[in-house]
Amino acid sequence: MSEGYEIAPWQLAWNGLAVDQLQRTESTFALANGHIGMRGTLEEGEPRGLPGTYLNGFYEEHQLPYGEGGYGYPESGQTIVNVTDGKFVRLLVEDEPLDVRYGRTLEHRRVLDFRSGTLRRETEWESPTGKRITVRTERLVSFTQRAVAAIRYEVRAHDDLQLVVQSDLLANEPIEHVGGDPRVASALSSPLEADFAWAQGKRAVLQHHTKRSGLRMAAAMDHELATPDGLRTGIHAEGDLARFTAAVDVPAGKSLHLVKYLGYGWSAQRSVPALRAQVEAALAGARQTGWKGLLAEQRRFLDDFWEVADIEISGDEALQQALRFALFHIVQAGARGESRAIPGKGLTGPGYDGHAFWDTEMFVLPVLTYTVPDAARDALRWRHSTLDKARHRAEVLGQRGAAFPWRSINGAECSAYWPAGTAAFHVSGDVSHAVAQYVAATGDAEFEREAGTEILVETARLWTSLGHHDQHGRFRIDGVTGPDEYTAIVDNNIYTNLIAQRNLLSAVDACERHDDVREQLGVTSEEMATWRRSAEDVVLPFDELLRVHQQSEGFTEHDEWDFEGTPADQYPLLLHHPYFDLYRKQVVKQADLVLAMHVRGDCFTSEQKARNFAYYEARTVRDSSLSAGTQAVLAAETGHLDLAQDYLVEAAFTDLHDLHGNVRNGLHMASLAGAWTAVVAGLGGMRDHGGTLSFAPRLPSSLESLTFRMSFRGTRFSVDVRAGRATYAIVSGGPLHTSHHGEEIVVSPGEDVTLPIPDAPKPEPVRQPAGREPKRWGSHE
């Protein structure tokens, strides 16, 4: 029985036990809907790697550690909680528990299906005393019924057997904490305190609250059973455990069928009775729909998603699978978040303590904006709901407007590291960028009126407070950290300045469109004029001798890093070298100026992009999973098409190949989104500068064809790229106004537009830091 992932276009399958790989596969096989997340642990509970069930936004607080405190340092951290686990369905075969580590496992196969939205498993097992069974399970977290998950558990007996099934709700599951902060470990040691336990018939409810954050959550379960005669059942609930037990004699060749329905809910305000009512209502809805109905709803939801989001590649089956894997997990992260954050790991694991970062707005939300715009809107509504906290943070820092946090669950800053946390003010511009991008792509005037304009105004006020005009009349933003965390507390980081520039101009545009909102927010014509002038005067440092832009003022004058003398085992550098040395050398953790050339490419000439890309390519070590997708975009635009594909492959396989060695803690949502970016913005050449959509597609030599789908202002369309030509077609909706390599076109329903692709520019070769070259295309196979 061979082990490992199988390559298939619409699923991720793993054959074999590979107990030592469980922590990895529990992340890749996770199911979620943006509200509930369930790691892919086995129903029997053991063996296990790192179990986890999460509710988006449900966290516990802990004190942040400081060797030496300072004014403005955040005091409390937030960490996602492993809530009551309802995945348990334990099985005893003639008093012997099903555990694949004992007896003989004759077959074991798990399949994550991107079309059905379920995790399936089949295990043929022989107990130590020679009793054989086949277990088939299927699990889903519903996209259509937000508070619902369900499991179908079938046991087929190969001999006459007595089977006992134990279906549990279990809170405060003991988990080894893998982080380095003992305060976090202490906070997460039995973080839930019991409020209520009830059980009757086949249904049970457990309710708990967190000790410090004071959040309440409830979990409920109900069951349907189909068995031969002789069934006995029982149920009880107490504190942290509710258990439904069914015992039945099953003749050889017959089966026991169990469907387990789960309902989850949490609140910072609702009472214990109200939460109980909420989860019981969720169960009632699930029972009314039934297992087959839930499956049908899940399939319809995903059929609609793939119609607007699918990517098809010919010439690389493994990459095809990886891209659909990426898209599936992105939609799982955000589909039903509904005014909650999208964490950096989604709901696939406890990595980054469950925090959301700027990754959401700059990497994940573009995918959702052009595929599932409602999910992008809801994520931005979460940012809007935290504006009071952002205003307070700005006030603590002595600034006006709103300063969104570097990392958070509830909107309050949780970063204890100032240079790469608080100083990374670009996050406020990133949020505003996502707002402007969403409004331009959807035309959602209601959102802009109710939430978007206020976000743009308050972040614009931050920039005019944070920056200043110098004696030369230039608008400077000093003492900040850009996306590159190896270059901290710098003056005039170009990415920050350009994202602020767009923020300022977007605020002006929104205020002009919504005069009544402008008045409510107290925006005067003088303030708008200040925003315009600041945007026009923003500093973009340029090295006249090298003829390249400086990532930040003076960057190109720093000493060079000794890449030749840095062994491979000393990457990532932050784990082996002091930050002060990184800060004063020309070494880049992740795309920074290169990211600016993507999202604000309208501010650079083609020659500048080529020279800048070559210069920073030689200094970027990609110690962050955020980098490869962006480098793919600029590699493609500057003519390095094969290099673009190498970076696309790296972004797409970050989790499937565990390139950073930490998939056990959850998937890298921004890298998965970066794979989409590498395809659509890289090989597809999609840009949306100023809200205008344009394309400049090209293929690397090794790919036969590429087709991707998107949505813009309610129109769904596809772009099919083959050797020498591209075809634009409407999938649904009205005409699309766009451009192809600078030529304006209109694509109408039923009237495809096919155009030739001009030859790519022939750039000079580029190099990467010694030992940091991307793996060549084909090495992932």
Side-chain angles (χ1 to χ4, degrees), residues 433-492:
H433 174 87
V435 168
Q437 185 179 57
Y438 167 78
V439 170
T442 62
D444 189 346
E446 180 182 1
F447 166 81
E448 186 178 47
R449 173 181 295 279
E450 294 179 354
T453 300
E454 188 175 13
I455 291 175
L456 293 170
V457 165
E458 295 295 357
T459 48
R461 285 171 170 163
L462 175 70
W463 296 120
T464 52
S465 175
L466 194 66
H468 72 281
H469 278 85
D470 63 16
Q471 63 268 35
H472 304 292
R474 303 177 306 172
F475 185 71
R476 305 176 56 88
I477 304 175
D478 297 332
V480 300
T481 300
D484 171 28
E485 294 153 24
Y486 287 173
T487 311
I489 318 295
V490 298
D491 297 340
N492 293 310

Side-chain angles (χ1 to χ4, degrees), residues 242-254:
R243 173 169 292 163
F244 170 73
T245 302
V248 63
D249 295 324
V250 180
K254 299 296 183 179

Side-chain angles (χ1 to χ4, degrees), residues 53-89:
T53 299
Y54 312 106
L55 294 177
N56 195 349
F58 192 85
Y59 66 92
E60 180 60 306
E61 290 182 352
H62 56 87
Q63 291 300 113
L64 287 174
Y66 295 103
E68 183 174 337
Y71 178 77
Y73 283 20
E75 296 180 358
S76 296
Q78 302 163 10
T79 299
I80 194 169
V81 170
N82 178 34
V83 300
T84 305
D85 192 344
K87 298 187 296 293
F88 285 106
V89 182

